[in-house]
Amino acid sequence: MPASASPWARGDSELYSRLALSRHNVEGLNGTRIDAYSEYGLTEDWTVTGKYEGLYFDRFGEFNRDGWRVTARRGFHIAEGVVASLEGGMLQGEAIGGAAGCDAFGAEARIGVGQSSQLGGKTKMDIFWFAEGALRAHDDGCMRERLEIGFGQRVYQDVWLVSQAWFDQGDQNAASSKYQLEYLWKAQGFDVSAGTMLEFGGEFDESAFFISFAKTF
């Protein structure tokens, strides 16, 4: 089956929405992150996406940050179970770029590839993997590159174990690496997941625990 990850396109007129809530600790400061994300299939090949993300600290509100992103994605079927994608759009806000992201209005271009398949002989193992590269350019001259990789494996009936990693590099801010692990229960039409995230930015470390809810309409 198709995976709910970036290289895959949504079905025609299909809507996918996800809300994630997380508790973060950044160098001793505690905060709550709200991550709202949606995809809508304009056709079988074209998908539009929208994202809002905000991090709000319990104290020291001057460190609060938020951001948004809107993109269009063109999906391509390469072979059975294998897809590729080209994606582009607009974004603004430091929260979208990570703890050391660019804040000004900008544009983003992405390219991705992914596969969902079954491995093994008599005992089948359902898996998916994907990789995606992104380039962001902002009005203030800030540039940022990102590599994202992910792997998912069905571990029990409707339960999946999903791991992801992001590697960022910017010309005006610190490089960072982020690692996330989550268990996902994939029911008929909706998903529930919980997991942990660690980010290392050289000048800062960030950790988080999150829960998320997603539904396909």
Side-chain angles (χ1 to χ4, degrees):
M1 68 176 67
S4 293
S6 292
W8 281 266
R10 284 285 143 192
D12 188 11
S13 300
E14 183 179 82
L15 173 65
Y16 169 85
S17 293
R18 178 178 184 266
L19 176 64
L21 302 174
S22 56
R23 287 292 293 172
H24 284 247
N25 182 280
V26 185
E27 295 298 317
L29 299 180
N30 295 316
T32 299
R33 184 183 295 270
I34 300 173
D35 182 345
Y37 177 76
S38 288
E39 295 184 345
Y40 179 75
L42 291 177
T43 69
E44 290 293 335
D45 297 321
W46 282 97
T47 299
V48 294
T49 81
K51 179 181 178 71
Y52 172 81
E53 199 167 344
L55 178 57
Y56 305 97
F57 289 96
D58 298 344
R59 296 180 297 164
F60 305 103
E62 62 269 24
F63 295 122
N64 292 351
R65 53 184 182 265
D66 63 359
W68 58 267
R69 184 182 73 213
V70 178
T71 70
R73 180 190 309 139
R74 175 64 162 89
F76 304 89
H77 293 277
I78 305 301
E80 183 177 358
V82 181
V83 298
S85 66
L86 295 174
E87 186 171 354
M90 303 172 294
L91 72 160
Q92 185 172 18
E94 189 178 14
I96 291 292
C102 308
D103 185 51
F105 179 82
E108 178 181 80
R110 291 172 172 258
I111 183 170
V113 62
Q115 181 181 17
S116 57
S117 62
Q118 284 188 329
L119 300 179
K122 294 182 180 179
T123 304
K124 299 292 186 181
M125 181 173 64
D126 296 320
I127 68 163
F128 73 88
W129 63 266
F130 67 92
E132 194 170 46
L135 174 65
R136 293 167 174 166
H138 295 258
D139 282 347
D140 59 0
C142 181
M143 299 283 292
R144 198 161 181 85
E145 301 87 35
R146 166 174 284 195
L147 172 65
E148 178 181 352
I149 56 176
F151 178 81
Q153 175 186 342
R154 189 197 302 268
V155 293
Y156 178 76
Q157 294 183 351
D158 296 325
V159 178
W160 291 74
L161 177 61
V162 182
S163 55
Q164 296 183 72
W166 295 261
F167 304 96
D168 283 271
Q169 179 67 52
D171 62 344
Q172 296 183 16
N173 44 33
S176 70
S177 59
K178 182 166 65 175
Y179 307 92
Q180 181 172 295
L181 185 70
E182 67 178 305
Y183 281 95
L184 183 147
W185 175 42
K186 193 171 183 62
Q188 185 65 38
F190 70 93
D191 305 339
V192 179
S193 65
T196 60
M197 185 276 292
L198 293 173
E199 184 171 4
F200 305 98
E203 298 179 0
F204 69 92
D205 292 334
E206 182 174 355
S207 61
F209 170 80
F210 68 90
I211 57 173
S212 73
F213 308 89
K215 182 170 177 57
T216 303
F217 301 88

